[in-house]
Each structure stands twice: as C-alpha cells, then as structure tokens.
Amino acid sequence: MSYKVPGVGSLIVVCIGLIFGAIPLFMESIYLGIIFTLLLVLSFLFLLYSYCRQCPHVINGTCRHVVIGLLVKKLFKLKEAKPYRLKEILIGILPIIFLILAMQYWLLQYFIFFIGFWIMIVLGVIIIRLAVCTSCENTHCALCKNKDNCKH
C-alpha cells in the first residue's frame, strides 16, 4: 500500500538522525553511549505502550509505520481506540524530549553531528506530517488531519 513507503521511510530517517545524535555520546564514553541508547529504547517503548497500542491502525493491522504496528502487537496488549488522556501523551513524549534535549550538550561539541541530527529529525517529521498523517484515520490523535473524513 502507498502509506507503507513514507511510514517506514520516516522511521529510517529518524533512526539515522538518532544515530547522528548518539555518535558524540559514544565518542565521549562508551558507557555514556550505551546508557543513552538503552534509555532511548526504553523511552521508545513508553511511547509504544502509552500511545500506539490504542491507535486504530495498530489494532486493525494498518499501522502507517508498519514496523511499529508489528512491534506493538508483539509486545503489548492492545487497548480500545479512544481519546488519549494527557497522562498517556506525557508518558509517551516526555522521556524522548528529555533525551533529545540532554543530547544537545554533546551534539554542540561536534557541530557536524548536530547538523546531521537536526536535518534528519526535521526531515522525518516533515515526511510524517506530509505523507503519513494524510492517510491516517486515528481521529483521537491531536495531529490527525482527517478528523472530518473518518468514521473512527
């Protein structure tokens, strides 16, 4: 389906950005890099648990990011699709925001990685907003562009 290419592509682009972000931490200390990577994986799991497991696309097997939908179904019990509570949104995004902000200290010491990180993250967000969100029918999502055209 046409939504799979931008969905998977956006994940690849964001992951490349995160690799750019992690390299300076590994250059500083292998332990710092490992701890950061583990915290990033843990915060990603928080996002999947608090947000993705009640997305109607994950429930119906039509996740726009494909891989995320498969991971959520394997790792967590799915919830009924309903409006997100503030707590679910905060649990999903605050750890990632904190890690990205903390990373800036090391990224600014290696400007080429700083530029690479932000180019890839912004590109990933643009792909998501312009190509992934346009086919999404999760009307409970605050970023949904199709609230008036969906039956969910």
Side-chain angles (χ1 to χ4, degrees), residues 13-58:
V13 169
V14 168
C15 285
I16 291 170
L18 292 173
I19 290 168
F20 273 118
I23 290 172
L25 282 95
F26 278 98
M27 291 169 64
E28 180 76 23
S29 162
I30 189 75
Y31 300 112
L32 180 63
I34 290 170
I35 290 169
F36 169 78
T37 302
L38 292 174
L39 288 173
L40 191 60
V41 169
L42 185 61
S43 65
F44 178 69
L45 290 173
F46 282 163
L47 176 66
L48 298 183
Y49 181 81
S50 67
Y51 202 82
C52 298
R53 71 185 183 122
Q54 70 183 43
C55 173
H57 288 294
V58 172

Side-chain angles (χ1 to χ4, degrees), residues 22-138:
I23 290 172
L25 282 95
F26 278 98
M27 291 169 64
E28 180 76 23
S29 162
I30 189 75
Y31 300 112
L32 180 63
I34 290 170
I35 290 169
F36 169 78
T37 302
L38 292 174
L39 288 173
L40 191 60
V41 169
L42 185 61
S43 65
F44 178 69
L45 290 173
F46 282 163
L47 176 66
L48 298 183
Y49 181 81
S50 67
Y51 202 82
C52 298
R53 71 185 183 122
Q54 70 183 43
C55 173
H57 288 294
V58 172
I59 295 166
N60 298 329
T62 59
C63 176
R64 293 341 198 200
H65 297 286
V66 185
V67 177
I68 289 178
L70 297 172
L71 272 174
V72 172
K73 282 188 166 186
K74 292 281 184 199
L75 297 175
F76 306 114
K77 180 181 176 186
L78 300 179
K79 285 177 64 176
E80 175 187 343
K82 58 184 179 182
Y84 295 99
R85 298 183 317 228
L86 180 61
K87 176 180 145 184
E88 293 165 331
I89 294 169
L90 294 177
I91 288 172
I93 63 170
L94 284 182
I96 293 171
I97 290 172
F98 173 75
L99 287 174
I100 287 174
L101 290 175
M103 230 184 343
Q104 300 311 299
Y105 173 79
W106 291 276
L107 280 170
L108 288 170
Q109 294 177 31
Y110 300 94
F111 195 67
I112 190 72
F113 292 113
F114 176 83
I115 295 297
F117 171 82
W118 282 109
I119 287 173
M120 299 309 278
I121 296 298
V122 169
L123 182 60
V125 170
I126 289 170
I127 293 169
I128 291 168
R129 291 300 293 151
L130 295 180
V132 178
C133 289
T134 55
S135 69
C136 182
E137 297 178 357
N138 183 1

